[in-house]
Amino acid sequence: MKAFTGMTDLSNDLTDFGETAALMQNLDLVITVDTSMGHLAGAMARPVLVMVPKAADWRWQLERDDSPWYPNRSAVPSGESQASGTRCWRG
């Protein structure tokens, strides 16, 4: 984290999902890879960008531009990167 000036690492203060959810309530945007953080932000209807691999499992339903589990989430059309093989979802 030292390479990113202006960022504060709060990971040592986050010991459970309740504390993480409280932090997310105060963020403008959550950016994450395919982890529980993306699901937590989606369930809380928080703005989120989730990067999922091109070979993601079926639950991401990559053939769709929306999500039946998180109505506020949609695919970012330009988010697919040929180089990295990821696709971004925003909520």
Side-chain angles (χ1 to χ4, degrees):
M1 293 294 282
K2 291 179 183 178
F4 299 102
T5 59
M7 292 183 74
T8 304
D9 182 2
L10 298 173
S11 60
N12 290 331
D13 300 321
L14 304 175
T15 59
D16 59 34
F17 279 123
E19 291 176 356
T20 304
L23 174 63
M24 285 183 180
Q25 279 298 119
N26 292 288
L27 297 177
D28 294 326
L29 177 66
V30 176
I31 302 173
T32 183
V33 294
D34 180 9
T35 66
S36 59
M37 297 304 101
H39 295 283
L40 181 60
M44 295 172 57
R46 298 301 302 151
V48 60
L49 280 175
V50 180
M51 295 174 282
V52 295
K54 205 177 252 190
D57 69 49
W58 64 270
R59 291 174 285 194
W60 286 104
Q61 300 187 15
L62 296 180
E63 70 281 354
R64 296 175 58 150
D65 288 332
D66 63 347
S67 169
W69 295 282
Y70 307 115
N72 64 325
R73 187 177 322 180
S74 59
V76 178
S78 61
E80 190 166 346
S81 168
Q82 298 299 323
S84 66
T86 62
R87 182 170 182 176
C88 291
W89 289 84
R90 69 170 176 233

